[in-house]
């Protein structure tokens, strides 16, 4: 389940950073059109991957329920980070992807 959580967090970070306002708040500039589209695509692909990981870990009935809970928890964590330390969102997304990769290997 931890893999799915980190993937959800990274996905929401990518979707968040694809928006002009949040990207400006984190990086100080608006994303280019291609960067915004790339972040949006990455976010949706990571969400799909996190759903697949949750289904793999717990099966279809429980995995889908766990996934909805993980979506809520990861979005809440991202909202808190955006509120209190917006400059750390990019680093948090990279660490989330690294954490998912490490947890997958274990």
């Amino acid at each position: 389940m931890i893999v799915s959580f980190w993937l959800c967090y990274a996905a929401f970070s990518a979707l968040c950073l694809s928006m002009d306002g949040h990207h400006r708040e984190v990086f100080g500039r608006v994303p280019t059109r291609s960067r915004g589209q790339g972040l949006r695509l990455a976010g949706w692909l990571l969400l799909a991957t996190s759903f697949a990981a949750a289904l793999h870990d717990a099966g279809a009935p429980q995995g889908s329920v766990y996934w909805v809970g993980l979506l809520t928890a990861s979005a809440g964590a991202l909202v808190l980070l955006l509120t209190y330390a917006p400059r750390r969102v990019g680093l948090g997304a990279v660490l989330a992807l690294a954490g998912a990769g490490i947890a997958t290997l274990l």
Side-chain angles (χ1 to χ4, degrees):
M1 282 293 135
I2 192 72
V3 172
S4 191
F5 173 80
W6 289 124
L7 288 172
C8 285
Y9 182 84
F12 280 135
S13 296
L15 289 171
C16 167
L17 291 174
S18 72
M19 297 181 215
D20 292 346
H22 292 304
H23 197 279
R24 186 182 311 112
E25 187 177 21
V26 172
F27 296 115
R29 63 185 184 282
V30 190
T32 62
R33 183 180 170 111
S34 61
R35 179 180 224 163
Q37 288 176 343
L39 285 168
R40 202 169 301 115
L41 177 65
W44 285 111
L45 289 174
L46 285 168
L47 276 178
T49 306
S50 71
F51 184 62
L55 292 181
H56 180 267
D57 286 346
Q62 289 179 334
S64 58
V65 173
Y66 288 150
W67 185 67
V68 171
L70 293 172
L71 287 174
T72 305
S74 61
L78 181 62
V79 165
L80 287 173
L81 193 61
L82 271 172
T83 302
Y84 295 109
R87 297 270 184 197
R88 307 230 188 241
V89 170
L91 176 63
V94 170
L95 291 176
L97 283 175
I102 291 170
T104 301
L105 295 175
L106 297 178

